């Protein structure tokens, strides 16, 4: 089997930031789809997010993105990475990390400032509605904005472009 692209990124050098993970033409629609890696923690160097705060950011981020006046019709998906170090944002269109950054900043500002009931956090709307942590979700969003996205916004390519891929073993 071929190694998928995300497993070729050197996670030992990856910093929190906003990265274009992949860009493909969707065979079903012919539309360009861009997948962004929104990395909130340094892989293998910082603690991962607990499921409760990750779940809360998922509920808030998906709600925000799918209701955004300019982006709602372009958002395909917003959700957590299995490793719990960040989120994927999938949108229609050929975009760079720098071009999606304003939406990411808006989204995490929304999470940081959110104080109401978490959308969809009811037994009827969610399969694990009790696994939520708004305070920690807000803290993570605040840290991501102040510690990481501020550098991406300033053009720090280490926060916008993946580090060099890992060396690939030659085919057997």
């Amino acid at each position: 089997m071929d190694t998928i692209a995300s497993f070729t990124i050197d996670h030992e050098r990856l910093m929190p930031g906003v990265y274009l993970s992949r860009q493909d033409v969707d065979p079903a629609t012919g539309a360009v789809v861009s997948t962004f890696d929104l990395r909130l923690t340094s892989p293998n160097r910082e603690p991962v997010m607990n499921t409760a705060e990750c779940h809360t950011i998922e509920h808030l981020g998906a709600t925000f993105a799918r209701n955004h006046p300019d982006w709602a019709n372009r958002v395909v998906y917003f959700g957590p990475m299995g490793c719990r170090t960040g989120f994927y944002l999938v949108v229609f269109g050929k975009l760079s990390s720098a071009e999606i950054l304003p939406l990411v900043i808006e989204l995490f500002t929304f999470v940081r400032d959110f104080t109401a009931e978490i959308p969809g956090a009811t037994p009827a709307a969610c399969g694990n509605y009790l696994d939520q942590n708004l305070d920690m979700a807000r803290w993570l969003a605040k840290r991501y904005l102040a510690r990481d996205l501020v550098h991406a916004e300033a053009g720090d390519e280490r926060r916008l472009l993946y580090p060099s891929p890992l060396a690939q073993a030659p085919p057997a």
Side-chain angles (χ1 to χ4, degrees):
M1 275 194 246
D2 291 335
T3 302
I4 62 171
S6 61
F7 294 159
T8 68
I9 302 305
D10 187 347
H11 285 71
E12 293 180 326
R13 293 180 31 234
L14 186 60
M15 300 173 70
V18 176
Y19 303 96
L20 176 62
S21 178
R22 97 185 243 193
Q23 204 162 61
D24 292 310
V25 174
D26 176 30
T29 65
V32 174
V33 178
S34 298
T35 301
F36 292 94
D37 170 336
L38 312 181
R39 196 65 63 145
L40 274 71
T41 69
S42 296
N44 304 309
R45 295 182 302 283
E46 291 181 316
V48 299
M49 293 177 282
N50 291 315
T51 61
E53 51 264 28
C54 195
H55 192 196
T56 301
I57 293 172
E58 175 194 14
H59 276 240
L60 294 175
T63 299
F64 175 82
R66 292 186 180 133
N67 284 284
H68 193 280
D70 300 323
W71 287 93
N73 293 330
R74 295 180 68 183
V75 172
V76 176
Y77 173 77
F78 175 82
M81 296 176 177
C83 62
R84 293 183 288 136
T85 62
F87 294 85
Y88 287 114
L89 174 62
V90 183
V91 297
F92 287 115
K94 185 176 182 176
L95 299 158
S96 68
S97 296
E99 290 170 317
I100 202 69
L101 185 59
L103 175 63
V104 174
I105 290 170
E106 274 188 74
L107 187 152
F108 281 92
T109 299
F110 174 79
V111 173
R112 180 197 66 198
D113 298 342
F114 193 83
T115 58
E117 293 294 316
I118 300 164
T122 66
C126 179
N128 193 9
Y129 78 102
L130 292 175
D131 190 30
Q132 302 280 345
N133 186 339
L134 180 57
D135 289 338
M136 192 63 188
R138 292 180 66 216
W139 183 89
L140 284 165
K142 179 180 178 180
R143 182 182 76 168
Y144 188 45
L145 287 160
R147 181 190 76 170
D148 307 312
L149 295 184
V150 67
H151 297 292
E153 193 173 33
D156 183 348
E157 290 190 352
R158 297 171 305 160
R159 308 282 183 161
L160 295 168
L161 300 173
Y162 275 142
S164 302
L166 295 169
Q168 295 297 305

